[in-house]
Amino acid sequence: MRNDIQFKTEDGVTLRGWHYLPEGVTGKVPTIVMAHGFSAVKEMYLDRFAEAFAAAGMASIVYDNRNFGASDGEPRQEIDPWRQVRDYRDAITFAETLEQTDPERIGIWGSSYSGAHVLVVAAFDRRVKCVVSQVPLASGSRNFRRLIRADYIGGVRDMFDTDRRERFKGAPPAMISVVDEDPSASSALPTPDSWVWFTETSKARAPAWRNEVTLRSIEMFSEYEPGSYIHRISPTPLLMVIAQDDVLAVTDLALEAYEHALEPKKIVMLRGGHFDAYVNDFEESSTSAVEWFRQHLQRS
């Protein structure tokens, strides 16, 4: 069963999404809080994961990140990772207010950029009793240098500085495409599989998705180091679902971060690339998450 929800963040922004409940289950149930990754909206397959959790007897709070989709927030299309981290914590607080939520059995799930956020949230927020991080960004600065050719980085830094000066004068934030068919063109996610997944998924499932973000979003991405908090998650159980051919949130950086996590932890390796976790490898990615949450959130 799915109901529309909305709630306010601590700074007054209204976030909107869905509350999934398992059919035929009464009383308080484990609840998973979840949002999407870089620029994506909830219609881009988050419903499939929430449905899998509901079928296993767990509720979900699924919401659009601020400035995107159905949620409020300005400037539109801007991604501030630290505001999104705080919004996860506000979503947990909202979940606690619902009569169906067992506040002692709250888990968090994230994928790609939100896969990074849940690492940070779980490191700080002990209300979280279990975490699943799927194809996560581990290091913004190092991943940034994997996605952008070394001889282009100086020019990108100049773009950041110019945008900052123009905003100081009162100009609106500069914008950049999320994806481009030409991987050598300026875009936030310059990989061929990013172009295919976002364009195909938006046409099929999320026509309101917009192919743009603020340039400042890329600058904040390059400064974000979620993997540096991973050793602080313990004793909260951590599952990392990593794609062996991930060229976007690159595989080796995620594996390196996992090595710094303390127990209890588990790793699942998917066969495909970054976006296969939502489609071709969905059965494995969702089943692994369901089993981890069942193990650590459901009562025997």
Side-chain angles (χ1 to χ4, degrees), residues 265-283:
K265 64 179 180 178
K266 181 179 178 181
I267 189 169
V268 170
M269 292 296 297
L270 304 179
R271 293 176 296 279
H274 187 83
F275 297 100
D276 287 314
Y278 307 104
V279 187
N280 295 335
D281 292 334
F282 169 77
E283 191 64 32

Side-chain angles (χ1 to χ4, degrees), residues 47-177:
D47 53 333
R48 295 186 70 195
F49 287 92
E51 288 165 2
F53 299 150
M58 294 175 282
S60 296
I61 299 295
V62 185
Y63 65 93
D64 277 329
N65 288 305
R66 67 168 62 213
N67 309 336
F68 288 87
S71 291
D72 291 347
E74 297 288 342
R76 299 304 291 175
Q77 305 301 114
E78 176 149 290
I79 307 168
D80 182 333
W82 284 104
R83 287 195 179 276
Q84 291 187 350
V85 164
R86 290 193 289 271
D87 291 345
Y88 252 99
R89 301 184 75 177
D90 289 340
I92 292 169
T93 303
F94 168 69
E96 290 179 315
T97 70
L98 300 176
E99 63 179 0
Q100 301 93 342
T101 301
D102 184 340
E104 297 303 316
R105 294 189 290 164
I106 291 176
I108 54 175
W109 179 97
S111 187
S112 194
Y113 214 32
S114 66
H117 300 340
V118 296
L119 298 176
V120 180
V121 173
F124 292 121
D125 200 323
R126 292 302 164 192
R127 295 176 298 172
V128 175
K129 298 303 188 289
C130 187
V131 56
V132 174
S133 173
Q134 176 178 283
V135 292
L137 172 79
S139 168
S141 61
R142 295 167 69 189
N143 216 112
F144 175 75
R145 291 181 174 273
R146 296 291 189 90
L147 294 175
I148 300 176
R149 278 177 37 177
D151 55 333
Y152 287 1
I153 288 177
V156 173
R157 295 289 183 195
D158 288 343
M159 291 169 61
F160 292 161
D161 294 341
T162 298
D163 179 44
R164 187 174 296 277
R165 295 185 187 106
E166 291 302 309
R167 295 197 316 269
F168 186 80
K169 296 175 185 176
M175 307 299 290
I176 188 171
S177 296

Side-chain angles (χ1 to χ4, degrees), residues 28-45:
K28 295 183 180 296
V29 295
T31 298
I32 314 303
V33 174
M34 52 197 295
H36 221 315
F38 194 96
S39 88
V41 293
K42 63 187 182 299
E43 290 82 5
M44 291 171 147
Y45 294 106

